[in-house]
Amino acid sequence: MDSMAPIGVFDSGIGGLTVLRALLQQLPGEDFVYLGDTARVPYGTKSANTVIKYSMNNLEFLERQRVKMVVVACNTASAYALPALGELSPVPVVGVVEPGALEAIRFSRTQTIGVIGTRGTIKSRAYERAIHALAPEVHVMGWPCPLFVPLAEEGFVDGEIPRSVVLHYLGALARAEPQIDTLLLACTHYPLLYDLLDHMANAIFDAPVTTVDSATAVAREVSTVLDETHSGCDRKEGGQVDYFVTDLTRFEEIGERFLGQPISGVQQVDI
Ligand code: DGL
């Protein structure tokens, strides 16, 4: 494996930039190729077969860019398609489910974890399986929160509107027994709502809740796989990112808030 080859990252659209942000912090010397399937977003409302088909297309595009590894930043794609992608790919594939599951288990004191994500991610029960594979005794409560995606994209991350949506979802989750002590953000968009979710969860639930964003855990896992496969690049900084999308609409403008830095040179591709 060419250690100077880029790392491929794909998502259904812009949300995966929250994962890329953590990757850039953890691995500043690596080059990345980011693919956002903005023409076919959202994945969270689609069937398993459709998400698997789209994810295969994304993998094939990244293979053509000669990447040394593929990071499936999209939770819905990881939840539905990771086994199929792993079988097909000649290079290592890292998803977000297992690192997120591990991180949530680490934080939970009472072994009760709430997983919030898209309808697809929750329906797949992938997080439940991943958590139970590592810690069978943990109680897992999956809760779809589909409205958080448009809120994050439109910049509604605080104020009356997001507060009432958060109250709607977390209020219902708090009424389910047993109450959770750890809230895992199992969607690329939810880190933008981190402060609000953390604050409101601690106000709504009876006991303190730890809110877990898995992006850092994913970046650590990527770093571990690079070490294990001896494919990390020697450079310590100065890595570049090439951005590809399947539809150009507002990617740079919205994406900046997800990545935390300006984005330029985005290319539109047919995959
Ligand atoms: N990227 C998706 C995820 O993390 C959220 C947006 C979508 O539904 O495509 O599940």
Side-chain angles (χ1 to χ4, degrees), residues 20-70:
L20 181 63
R21 183 180 190 154
L23 287 165
L24 292 173
Q25 269 159 16
Q26 175 88 22
L27 301 160
E30 296 285 346
D31 288 334
F32 292 90
V33 175
Y34 182 92
L35 172 66
D37 191 11
T38 45
R40 301 190 290 195
V41 72
Y43 285 10
T45 54
K46 298 198 168 71
S47 68
N49 282 344
T50 299
V51 173
I52 292 170
K53 187 172 76 187
Y54 291 173
S55 300
M56 297 283 198
N57 297 154
N58 297 336
L59 177 74
E60 285 156 10
F61 173 81
L62 290 174
E63 271 175 24
R64 293 197 291 278
Q65 310 308 307
R66 305 199 170 283
V67 298
K68 61 184 172 187
M69 182 192 292
V70 170

Side-chain angles (χ1 to χ4, degrees), residues 103-243:
E103 193 78 341
I105 293 167
R106 245 172 24 91
F107 278 102
S108 181
R109 301 165 312 275
T110 62
Q111 309 199 315
T112 48
I113 297 174
V115 179
I116 56 173
T118 64
R119 286 198 191 285
T121 296
I122 301 307
K123 189 169 169 220
S124 76
R125 303 180 91 105
Y127 276 91
E128 211 166 316
R129 284 195 300 278
I131 291 170
H132 285 155
L134 297 160
E137 68 287 359
V138 171
H139 179 80
V140 184
M141 185 77 79
W143 213 263
C145 302
L147 288 175
F148 290 167
V149 168
L151 285 177
E153 290 199 9
E154 294 302 325
F156 283 84
V157 295
D158 202 2
E160 200 186 326
I161 294 169
R163 288 181 80 83
S164 62
V165 177
V166 172
L167 184 63
H168 169 77
Y169 290 132
L170 295 194
L173 181 55
R175 286 191 290 277
E177 294 286 338
Q179 275 203 351
I180 55 138
D181 78 344
T182 303
L183 184 66
L184 175 59
L185 308 188
C187 176
T188 50
H189 288 58
Y190 298 2
L192 275 85
L193 293 156
Y194 184 95
D195 290 345
L196 183 65
L197 287 167
D198 190 53
H199 176 77
M200 287 190 67
N202 279 288
I204 294 168
F205 286 79
D206 298 338
V209 172
T210 306
T211 307
V212 176
D213 161 17
S214 60
T216 314
V218 174
R220 276 201 309 268
E221 172 67 9
V222 169
S223 187
T224 303
V225 175
L226 287 176
D227 288 346
E228 282 170 2
T229 53
H230 308 288
S231 53
C233 87
D234 298 332
R235 226 175 20 211
K236 293 284 169 270
E237 55 187 28
Q240 303 290 317
V241 186
D242 287 331
Y243 295 97

